[in-house]
Amino acid sequence: MSHAFIIENKKSNLLSIQLDNHSTVRNELHFEEESTMRAFNFPISLSRILTTVPSRTLLVFLFFYLLLGRYCKYAFYRDPTSAFFDPSRAYEHIYSLQRQRQADAFIQAANSTRARNESRLNEPGTTMCLGMATVERPAEQYVRYAFGSLIEGLTEDERNHIYAVILIGHTDPEHHPIYHEPWLGTLSDKILTYDASRKEQFNLLLKWEQEKDYRRKATFDYSYLLETCLQSGAPWIAMIEDDTIAVAGWYPRTITALDLADSQSTDWLYLRLFFTEQFLGWNSEFWPTYLLASLSVVMSIASALFALRNFRHKSHTSSSFSNWTIFTVSCIYTPAFILLYFMAGKISTRPMSPGVHEMPNYGCCAQGMVFSSATAARVVNKLKEKELGFVDMILEEWANEEKLTRFAIVPSLLQHIGGHSSKGDDFTATQQMSVAERIFNFGFELYEQKGKQIVHPSSYG
C-alpha cells in the first residue's frame, strides 16, 4: 500500500468524522429548538396547525365573529345603548326635517288666514286640551315648528276635538317674537298670558324672571297651563314643550294609545309621547339577571354538547367532541357571542314592539305627556305643593311614592329638536353637542311617508 493512499484514506476518515459531528450537533440543536418550542407551546408547523380540527374551528369562529362585528357597526350605529353607537351619524335629523318643512309651510299659510274668532271653551265635542308654554329662545323660535306640526295634517273633525292653548311665558308678552305673528291667533283657541291684576303673583313671576329662577317659573307655568286646560272640559290634557316636532297623525294614534292605557290600568299617571332611548340600555342594577342568563346559556351549550357526544358514542358513531372541544365552545366561543350580544345594545337586540308600554324608569323627559282631567287636577296640587323643582322629576318622585303606573307610546310620537335650552345649557366637548341636543329619540327619525301613510320599521337597527 502506497504512502499516498494511506494519507488520502486518513483525510477521508477525518472528513467523515467531521461531517458526523456536524450532523450530530445539528440534530441536537434541532432537538433543543423543538423542545423549546414545545415548552412554550410554539407551533411547529403552519400546515400542522391548519389541519387540526380545533385550529380550523378557531379560524372559522374568528372569521364569523369579525364578520358579525362589521355588521353590528353597520346596523346598530343609531342605538345609543350599543358599543357600536356612532354619534356623528345617529343624531342625523331625517323625518323631523321633513316635518319641520311641512310645519313651516303650514305656519306661513296660516299667517294669511283669518283668525279663529269663535269661542270653543267647554264645547261638548272637545276631547283633548293641547297646552304649550313658550318662552323666547336665544336663537331659533322652535315653537313655530312645534305648534305647526301638531295642527298640520289634522282633519277638520280632529281639529274640532282639540282645544289648543299657548302660554306666552313672559310677564311682558311683547318680549316674545311670535306674540304678534298672525298664525298664533289663527291656529290656537286661546293665547294665554299672565294675569297682571293678581299683583302678588305677578310680582313673584317678575322676580323669577329677573333672577332667572327657571325651576320655580317652569313649575308655575306647567300648573297654570294645566288649570287653564281643566276649564276646557276636555277629558284628556296633552302638555307639549315648545321645542318638539310631532309625527303626522299623532292625534288618532294618541287617542288609541289612551284607550289601551285605560284598559291596562285604572290608576295611571301619564302617557308619555316622547322618550329618549339612551337610558334604556343594560342598566347596572340588573347585572345579576344578566349574569344568571349568561351562565344559563353557557351551561345549556355545554350540556347539549355532552349529551350529543354521549348519544353518538352509544350509537357507535365517531365523535370529535373531546373535553377540550366542549370547553372551548362553551367557555370561550359562547361567552364571546354573549359579549357581542350585549355590545350590540338592548334597543337593537330587544326592541320594544309598537304599542303602549309601561315605562316607570329612564324615559326622560317632560317633552310630551298626556293626563286625564282627573289626574291633571292632582298634578296641579302636587306642583303647587312642591313649587321648586323640575316638573318631570317631581312627577317621577310622586309616581314612585304612590306606585302610579306610567305609560309610553312606542314608537315615540314626538322628537326633541331644541339645540338650546330655555333653562340654560352646557356643552360636552366629547360629543361636540349641548345637553339639549342629546335629548333625542333615535327611532323617531325612521318614520317614512309611503303614499298617505306614515309607517315605522319594527326595529331601530
Side-chain angles (χ1 to χ4, degrees):
M1 185 180 293
S2 66
H3 181 69
F5 176 78
I6 293 172
I7 293 175
E8 187 67 29
N9 191 33
K10 286 182 177 180
K11 287 181 178 180
S12 178
N13 290 337
L14 182 59
L15 180 61
S16 177
I17 291 170
Q18 288 176 342
L19 289 172
D20 287 343
N21 288 339
H22 179 73
S23 178
T24 301
V25 171
R26 186 177 61 186
N27 288 337
E28 287 176 354
L29 289 173
H30 179 73
F31 176 77
E32 289 178 3
E33 182 182 356
E34 186 175 299
S35 300
T36 304
M37 293 173 73
R38 284 176 177 171
F40 287 94
N41 294 321
F42 288 144
I44 299 172
S45 166
L46 181 61
S47 61
R48 189 180 298 180
I49 293 176
L50 297 177
T51 55
T52 60
V53 173
S55 299
R56 284 182 291 178
T57 304
L58 176 62
L59 290 175
V60 171
F61 163 75
L62 288 175
F63 173 76
F64 281 105
Y65 198 78
L66 291 174
L67 196 64
L68 278 173
R70 292 290 297 175
Y71 170 77
C72 290
K73 189 174 182 180
Y74 164 78
F76 305 136
Y77 73 90
R78 195 181 288 277
D79 182 350
T81 70
S82 171
F84 304 96
F85 177 63
D86 182 0
S88 65
R89 293 190 293 159
Y91 284 97
E92 181 185 4
H93 291 263
I94 305 171
Y95 180 71
S96 58
L97 274 181
Q98 177 184 334
R99 284 299 288 161
Q100 281 182 247
R101 288 192 292 267
Q102 292 172 341
D104 185 58
F106 184 70
I107 289 293
Q108 297 304 321
N111 279 331
S112 58
T113 306
R114 184 175 61 86
R116 296 168 66 93
N117 294 319
E118 67 276 14
S119 173
R120 300 182 57 250
L121 190 63
N122 288 312
E123 198 168 286
T126 303
T127 303
M128 177 182 289
C129 178
L130 176 62
M132 180 178 289
T134 180
V135 295
E136 182 190 19
R137 299 280 173 164
E140 194 169 9
Q141 306 307 312
Y142 306 112
V143 64
R144 300 184 184 102
Y145 303 126
F147 199 77
S149 67
L150 288 165
I151 306 301
E152 193 275 333
L154 293 175
T155 66
E156 184 178 352
D157 184 60
E158 289 169 347
R159 180 62 188 92
N160 289 333
H161 281 79
I162 296 173
Y163 184 75
V165 183
I166 293 186
L167 167 63
I168 306 297
H170 294 276
T171 50
D172 178 8
E174 301 276 350
H175 188 69
H176 201 303
I178 70 164
Y179 186 57
H180 289 294
E181 292 181 3
W183 68 266
L184 189 60
T186 301
L187 299 181
S188 68
D189 296 297
K190 183 177 181 63
I191 302 170
L192 185 64
T193 57
Y194 300 125
D195 188 354
S197 64
R198 302 178 66 176
K199 295 293 185 181
E200 185 177 348
Q201 183 185 87
F202 191 81
N203 288 336
L204 193 58
L205 287 166
L206 192 60
K207 177 176 177 288
W208 290 340
E209 274 187 347
Q210 293 169 346
E211 296 178 355
K212 296 184 178 181
D213 192 343
Y214 300 116
R215 289 193 293 172
R216 280 190 171 86
K217 186 173 180 302
T219 303
F220 174 86
D221 287 352
Y222 208 88
S223 61
Y224 183 42
L225 195 51
L226 274 174
E227 284 183 305
T228 303
C229 271
L230 282 169
Q231 297 171 15
S232 71
W236 302 110
I237 299 174
M239 297 290 288
I240 312 295
E241 289 202 352
D242 68 337
D243 57 352
T244 57
I245 203 86
V247 64
W250 71 274
Y251 178 73
R253 293 176 191 235
T254 301
I255 295 299
T256 301
L258 289 168
D259 291 337
L260 288 172
D262 258 348
S263 67
Q264 293 182 38
S265 175
T266 56
D267 192 20
W268 54 276
L269 178 55
Y270 60 67
L271 172 69
R272 183 184 289 279
L273 303 185
F274 171 88
F275 61 93
T276 178
E277 303 99 326
Q278 59 183 302
F279 305 120
L280 298 176
W282 308 107
N283 293 299
S284 58
E285 60 265 38
F286 298 113
W287 72 263
T289 303
Y290 306 145
L291 178 61
L292 182 61
S294 301
L295 291 175
S296 299
V297 172
V298 171
M299 295 300 294
S300 298
I301 295 293
S303 300
L305 291 176
F306 276 118
L308 184 58
R309 185 176 71 174
N310 292 338
F311 172 78
R312 296 180 70 176
H313 178 73
K314 290 179 182 179
S315 61
H316 304 288
T317 306
S318 62
S319 174
S320 60
F321 291 162
S322 64
N323 289 335
W324 176 251
T325 300
I326 293 175
F327 172 80
T328 304
V329 172
S330 58
C331 297
I332 298 178
Y333 298 166
T334 300
F337 280 115
I338 291 173
L339 177 62
L340 190 62
Y341 174 85
F342 281 104
M343 289 175 65
K346 189 176 180 182
I347 298 298
S348 299
T349 56
R350 298 177 62 184
M352 292 180 286
S353 59
V356 174
H357 294 260
E358 286 192 32
M359 195 174 286
N361 299 303
Y362 312 117
C364 185
C365 299
Q367 270 68 28
M369 295 179 176
V370 184
F371 306 92
S372 69
S373 56
T375 303
R378 296 166 62 194
V379 171
V380 169
N381 293 333
K382 179 58 65 174
L383 293 179
K384 287 183 176 180
E385 173 191 323
K386 290 289 184 180
E387 187 178 290
L388 175 64
F390 294 109
V391 171
D392 55 335
M393 295 178 68
I394 293 173
L395 293 180
E396 297 306 317
E397 182 184 336
W398 177 37
N400 289 333
E401 291 173 356
E402 301 289 332
K403 292 182 170 54
L404 300 173
T405 305
R406 286 148 284 180
F407 290 110
I409 183 169
V410 178
S412 176
L413 301 185
L414 298 175
Q415 177 65 289
H416 180 248
I417 60 171
H420 302 276
S421 174
S422 60
K423 306 175 184 66
D425 208 355
D426 59 1
F427 188 84
T428 54
T430 54
Q431 293 188 10
Q432 296 295 305
M433 300 177 74
S434 68
V435 171
E437 287 174 307
R438 288 187 286 118
I439 300 174
F440 196 82
N441 184 277
F442 300 90
F444 182 90
E445 301 302 329
L446 302 181
Y447 277 110
E448 291 181 276
Q449 182 150 1
K450 293 188 176 179
K452 294 183 178 181
Q453 297 295 318
I454 302 297
V455 297
H456 191 278
S458 57
S459 70
Y460 287 89

